[in-house]
Each structure stands twice: as structure tokens, then as C-alpha cells.
Amino acid sequence: MESADRIRAIMNALRTSDSVSVAELALAYGVSEMTIRRDLDELAQQGVVRRVRGGALSLLLRGEEPPFGVREREALDAKRRIGAEVAGLLADGEAVLLDGGTTALEVARAVRERRLTILPLALQAAQELAGAPRIRLVLPGGEVRHGEMNFVGPLTETSIKALRFDTAVIGCCGLSAEHGLTAHDLPEVAIKQAAIASARRVVVACDSGKFTRTAFGAVCGLDRLDVVVTDENIPRDQHDALTAAGVAVRTVPASVPVG
């Protein structure tokens, strides 16, 4: 099992248990205890766990999203393919609002050579696009959310409402037929709602893991979405519910084929 897969598996274990054991994890994943200790040390540096003798305790609140640095490594192959697929949906000359988050960052990397006007809602994407020669980069005002580095607050919301976009590329913490698009951070909910209201077309970019989660804040129902770009592991019932609601679903391979 690769390091990124192990980290993701440990994170999943921490979502259902308040503690994990080095010995049990080593046995479950077929690696040495030293390897598991290194994994837990990495998660401790990210603020996900507190190391204790023989294992670690979870520091995440129920329903809280993992840190950006941890999420950035989750489903990375799928996110890169999603980013490329979203880039292919954009026509040169479009005005695009690009949400924050790890999948949106892959979209930013995929459009660096394109001719677009982009308003990014995260500093990571702004930095990625700053040197792109044909990108017209527009930044919103507002407060930068610590850790995530997303723009939030009334200044950001006012900036978005003053503009009109051809496409808003939106990320999410959860997406389902029952609860629609959801996010953990309430200030970000208001920003996403403003983004959706200011765009002619709404494209949601998310890996299939988001279809098993519902976050605290409700952003919008499926009726406000035009396209969802995800990976092939999207649950069939969710795929069918999206298409029944008139949402176009585009899927990409979840991982790199071997051989």
C-alpha cells in the first residue's frame, strides 16, 4: 500500500474512532510499525492527531474537514483528471470564478496555458495562476481563512456580487441527491452561494468520495447545478439522481491504469 493510500485509510479510521493503534494499523496494512509511526507523525504535524504511546488520538471534531495538506493527497490521480476535464469545458475568453479547495487547485494547474479571466477564491490557486501569461487574474477582497487560505467574509461576497461570470467552478465537502451541495465552513457557504448566483453556468468539480458525505452548511440544491465532473466511482444512485435532475455528469478514471 502506497503512503498516500495508507494516510487516507488512517484518516477514514479516525472518522469512526477516537484513537488508532500502531500495532493494529501495521497488521491491517501489512507494513512495519516504524512505517505507521512515520504516517502518524505526519498527521500530527498536520494537526489531525496527537501522538500517544502506542498510537494516536484524533484531534478532529465530528464533521470537521481534514486540513488542506492532508486532503490535497487524497484521490490525487482522480483530482488531476477532474481538473483536466473541467479545463476542457472552458472556452477561451471566458470569465471564470474558481472556488477554493484541492480539486479546484488542480483546475488552476490545468488552465495555466489558456486565455481566460479568472477570479480565484483561494491564495493557492492565485499563486498558481500568477505567472500564467494569458490569464487575466482578478482577486477579490476579503479575509483569508487560516489553513485553507480561502477568501471569505463580506468584502469577498460584495466583490463576487459586483461581477458576472460565464462559469463558476465550485468545490464542495459533500454532494447528494437528498441534501444537495454542502460545505463545512459557514462563511464559505455564503461565498459559494454568491458565486453560484453570479454565474451563467455552474460546474461542480469533486471526487467521488464527496458523495458519501454531508457537511454542516447547505449551499444549494441540485437544481442550481449544470455540470458535475467527478470520477468513475460515483455511486450509481447518485449518478442517476443527478441526471434525473437535469445535471450533466462527466466522469473520469479514478486512478492511473497499471501496465
Side-chain angles (χ1 to χ4, degrees), residues 188-255:
E188 284 194 15
V189 169
I191 298 302
K192 291 179 190 292
Q193 289 171 338
I196 289 167
S198 295
R200 288 194 304 141
R201 178 176 63 160
V202 177
V203 176
V204 175
C206 67
D207 66 85
S208 60
K210 300 301 190 298
F211 292 94
T212 63
R213 304 169 192 168
T214 298
F216 183 53
V219 176
C220 70
L222 300 186
D223 60 307
R224 302 302 303 275
L225 312 180
D226 298 298
V227 183
V228 169
V229 182
T230 187
D231 64 73
E232 61 193 355
N233 292 329
I234 176 177
R236 172 52 58 180
D237 63 327
Q238 296 297 324
H239 180 286
D240 293 347
L242 285 167
T243 55
V247 181
V249 180
R250 301 175 72 100
T251 60
V252 302
S255 60

Side-chain angles (χ1 to χ4, degrees), residues 1-258:
M1 180 180 285
E2 297 294 328
S3 173
D5 295 330
R6 237 179 11 257
I7 292 287
R8 182 165 59 251
I10 294 171
M11 288 292 303
N12 288 335
L14 289 167
R15 289 190 178 103
T16 58
S17 176
D18 291 330
S19 65
V20 290
S21 159
V22 168
E24 290 176 358
L25 291 175
L27 182 62
Y29 305 141
V31 296
S32 69
E33 292 189 4
M34 181 63 70
T35 297
I36 295 297
R37 290 190 186 96
R38 284 196 296 266
D39 292 340
L40 293 178
D41 287 342
E42 181 176 338
L43 289 173
Q45 291 175 359
Q46 297 282 354
V48 175
V49 301
R50 177 168 63 86
R51 293 283 277 114
V52 296
R53 184 177 179 84
L57 301 176
S58 175
L59 295 179
L60 292 178
L61 299 175
R62 296 291 181 184
E64 186 180 61
E65 61 187 334
F68 186 95
V70 173
R71 301 197 324 275
E72 190 174 16
R73 297 176 55 179
E74 294 183 337
L76 183 55
D77 287 339
K79 289 175 181 177
R80 287 172 175 165
R81 285 174 168 74
I82 291 168
E85 185 74 15
V86 172
L89 295 176
L90 304 175
D92 278 355
E94 279 198 43
V96 179
L97 182 145
L98 182 58
D99 202 358
T102 57
T103 306
L105 180 57
E106 294 302 328
V107 177
R109 290 168 175 157
V111 300
R112 278 183 51 86
E113 304 304 319
R114 300 289 301 281
R115 182 173 62 83
L116 299 164
T117 296
I118 300 183
L119 186 145
L121 293 179
L123 289 180
Q124 297 97 330
Q127 184 176 15
E128 187 69 34
L129 296 169
R134 299 203 299 161
I135 296 290
R136 181 188 181 195
L137 189 61
V138 181
L139 296 183
E143 179 183 355
V144 175
R145 181 184 168 202
H146 180 70
E148 291 296 302
M149 307 305 286
N150 289 357
F151 292 101
V152 294
L155 290 178
T156 306
E157 194 172 343
T158 299
S159 297
I160 294 170
K161 289 179 176 179
L163 300 170
R164 294 295 178 266
F165 301 93
D166 297 300
T167 302
V169 179
I170 303 296
C172 65
C173 302
L175 180 59
S176 69
E178 182 179 1
H179 300 289
L181 192 143
T182 57
H184 287 293
D185 187 67
L186 294 184
E188 284 194 15
V189 169
I191 298 302
K192 291 179 190 292
Q193 289 171 338
I196 289 167
S198 295
R200 288 194 304 141
R201 178 176 63 160
V202 177
V203 176
V204 175
C206 67
D207 66 85
S208 60
K210 300 301 190 298
F211 292 94
T212 63
R213 304 169 192 168
T214 298
F216 183 53
V219 176
C220 70
L222 300 186
D223 60 307
R224 302 302 303 275
L225 312 180
D226 298 298
V227 183
V228 169
V229 182
T230 187
D231 64 73
E232 61 193 355
N233 292 329
I234 176 177
R236 172 52 58 180
D237 63 327
Q238 296 297 324
H239 180 286
D240 293 347
L242 285 167
T243 55
V247 181
V249 180
R250 301 175 72 100
T251 60
V252 302
S255 60
V256 179
V258 178

